[in-house]
Amino acid sequence: MKKALITGITGQDGAYLAKLLLGKDYKVYGLIRRIVNRDFSNLEYLGIDKDIELVDGDLTDEASLINVIKTVKPDEVYNLAAQSFVGTSWDQPLVTSEINALGTLKLLNAIKTHWPTAKFYQAATSEMFGNSATDGIQNENTPFHPRSPYAISKLFAHWMTVNYKESFGMFAVSGILFNHESPIRGKEFVTRKITDGVAKIKLGLADEIKLGNLDAKRDWGFAGDYVEAMWLMLQQEEADNYVICTGKTHSIRELLDVAFQHVGIKDWDKYVSIDPRFKRPAELHILTGKNDKAKEKLNWQPKVDFEELVKMMVDADLKRLKK
Ligand code: NAP
Ligand code: F7E
């Protein structure tokens, strides 16, 4: 039985990845840090909360990571833990860097020193590209120009992953994933904020959604599809980096159109207001990925399209709220 260690097990991707690996007969270990009110709702939502072996540790604490690596001796390590909210990274750049940048380095070092045969997956991000592509389309060869402390911290972790592969021969890959969402996406991210808000408005529990920049465009996919790409990257002969995306881009306005129309509301203007607090000091205007390499080498492609994704999320929020 293969052993996988997942950091970020309580997050969106950690839960979907754990479900995928359990289905493939892996023994799944999930790293959890000490916090007061532990929340396993994502694992519960997917019905796998009893199937994970939890191990204590924090990405900022190297001793705990060494202990976990020595104890678990994993075949595969998926580093998904992060301060993952871009907006917060301007308010908490140090915490963001401690976790995302130095935390990744600590984990790489623990693996290199104590269990170097483990294959390593790093959760990199399309945020690393910034606005560098003049045509708004990004692939593995697009230059990086990070525009937030979050993106900068992830770029450090990305290059450290590449460097540990090149310097020490570790099987270490960096998956450059574009935005991916699901019914268990955190409610501060714009997709879930909108689907939760639309469901509340439909049920008469709210009358407004406050948003920032409605003109930003993102390439949104389904988290359930994207975790499969993470796994596939670690099953290849050669460690390599891949862009994972749908190749299609939509604005926040289009997201609002689909979500409101799904509950029978055509004119959403009266329910949406602009609040400058949700605008960013530096914005990424348009992200659209090209997934040719992943299609060709991993035989991967997304299954859920944008409209299906938004409707799935609205339906899940309606169901949850009705309960
Ligand atoms: P998420 O839902 O925000 O989950 C983040 C996870 O990290 C949580 O389980 C959290 O645990 C854990 N964590 C935070 N700080 C930690 C620390 N110091 N030590 C140990 N665990 C810690 O994120 P996600 O959407 O699943 O994304 C997974 C990864 O992919 C992240 O690295 C993110 O930056 C990256 N990424 C995401 C996307 C996307 O669109 N979702 C795209 C590209 C890259 P607690 O429960 O303890 O808070
Ligand atoms: O913002 C705009 C906002 O916070 C998307 C993370 O998973 O994906 C995610 O980062 C867009 C931005 O995601 C609101 O300005 C407008 O242009 O949902 P988001 P993100 O910043 O793209 C990447 C790939 C990651 O790696 C990250 O970890 O939506 N927007 N109004 C808003 N965004 C939010 N959150 N809230 C608003 O009210």
Side-chain angles (χ1 to χ4, degrees):
M1 194 183 237
K2 273 194 183 176
K3 290 185 280 184
L5 170 67
I6 301 177
T7 74
I9 189 77
T10 54
Q12 169 189 259
D13 290 8
Y16 275 101
L17 178 65
K19 174 129 183 146
L20 178 87
L21 297 182
L22 288 166
K24 294 182 184 299
D25 275 342
Y26 277 67
K27 173 136 181 87
V28 177
Y29 295 82
L31 186 86
I32 48 161
R33 60 176 166 167
R34 156 94 187 117
I35 52 173
V36 177
N37 293 316
R38 179 126 311 285
D39 180 2
F40 291 118
S41 56
N42 289 345
L43 298 170
E44 285 159 14
Y45 184 86
L46 297 181
I48 54 168
D49 49 307
K50 309 269 186 308
D51 304 328
I52 316 284
E53 178 113 11
L54 299 173
V55 286
D56 291 324
D58 192 302
L59 220 55
T60 59
D61 184 313
E62 191 165 6
S64 71
L65 299 177
I66 291 171
N67 187 36
V68 166
I69 293 295
K70 282 167 86 171
T71 313
V72 174
K73 300 185 173 60
D75 297 288
E76 297 172 7
V77 178
Y78 296 87
N79 183 32
L80 311 185
Q83 190 303 92
S84 73
F85 191 54
V86 174
T88 294
S89 76
W90 277 282
D91 300 325
Q92 299 180 20
L94 285 173
V95 168
T96 302
S97 305
E98 287 285 353
I99 299 172
N100 301 2
L102 294 183
T104 302
L105 176 53
K106 286 168 186 166
L107 184 55
L108 277 165
N109 225 23
I111 295 168
K112 176 198 148 228
T113 313
H114 299 285
W115 197 245
T117 54
K119 293 182 174 181
F120 179 79
Y121 173 88
Q122 169 57 18
T125 167
S126 50
E127 288 287 309
M128 301 187 310
F129 295 125
N131 294 323
S132 74
T134 46
D135 58 359
I137 298 173
Q138 298 86 13
N139 70 8
E140 291 81 3
N141 302 317
T142 304
F144 296 123
H145 184 141
R147 274 171 61 85
S148 64
Y150 168 79
I152 294 165
S153 70
K154 283 286 183 175
L155 191 54
F156 176 96
H158 168 78
W159 281 121
M160 272 300 167
T161 303
V162 171
N163 185 260
Y164 269 53
K165 177 181 92 165
E166 292 177 354
S167 306
F168 307 117
M170 275 174 59
F171 192 107
V173 309
S174 193
I176 307 175
L177 272 55
F178 283 58
N179 300 53
H180 46 279
E181 321 292 314
S182 74
I184 55 170
R185 181 62 143 153
K187 280 191 195 161
E188 70 272 48
F189 299 96
V190 77
T191 50
R192 183 76 197 289
K193 184 171 172 180
I194 289 174
T195 62
D196 180 61
V198 166
K200 282 187 177 136
I201 288 167
K202 176 68 184 172
L203 297 175
L205 302 170
D207 53 15
E208 188 184 33
I209 310 175
K210 290 183 178 174
L211 294 169
N213 174 17
L214 303 188
D215 297 315
K217 292 184 168 177
R218 289 291 183 276
D219 178 334
W220 279 295
F222 173 50
D225 290 343
Y226 285 35
V227 296
E228 200 181 351
M230 297 177 186
W231 175 74
L232 282 168
M233 284 180 218
L234 293 197
Q235 312 315 309
Q236 304 305 302
E237 288 280 301
E238 299 276 328
D240 203 354
N241 304 330
Y242 296 86
V243 157
I244 300 297
C245 58
T246 70
K248 301 209 171 79
T249 194
H250 300 273
S251 66
I252 315 287
R253 288 179 197 281
E254 290 171 81
L255 176 51
L256 286 160
D257 283 341
V258 177
F260 273 105
Q261 270 179 31
H262 189 52
V263 298
I265 298 173
K266 283 210 176 82
D267 180 15
W268 49 257
D269 278 17
K270 58 178 181 259
Y271 297 111
V272 173
S273 66
I274 302 302
D275 185 331
R277 281 181 306 155
F278 298 114
K279 292 197 171 165
R280 303 202 169 154
E283 178 64 284
L284 299 201
H285 307 301
I286 173 164
L287 286 174
T288 321
K290 251 189 161 315
N291 57 19
D292 298 3
K293 182 174 171 184
K295 270 189 181 145
E296 191 196 319
K297 297 207 168 161
L298 301 178
N299 196 20
W300 176 88
Q301 57 181 13
K303 298 186 187 90
V304 178
D305 72 20
F306 174 70
E307 288 214 1
E308 286 173 305
L309 173 65
V310 177
K311 290 176 184 171
M312 175 206 300
M313 292 174 68
V314 172
D315 287 340
D317 280 318
L318 282 169
K319 197 170 165 190
R320 242 183 301 227
L321 289 165
K322 279 180 191 162
K323 266 190 192 165

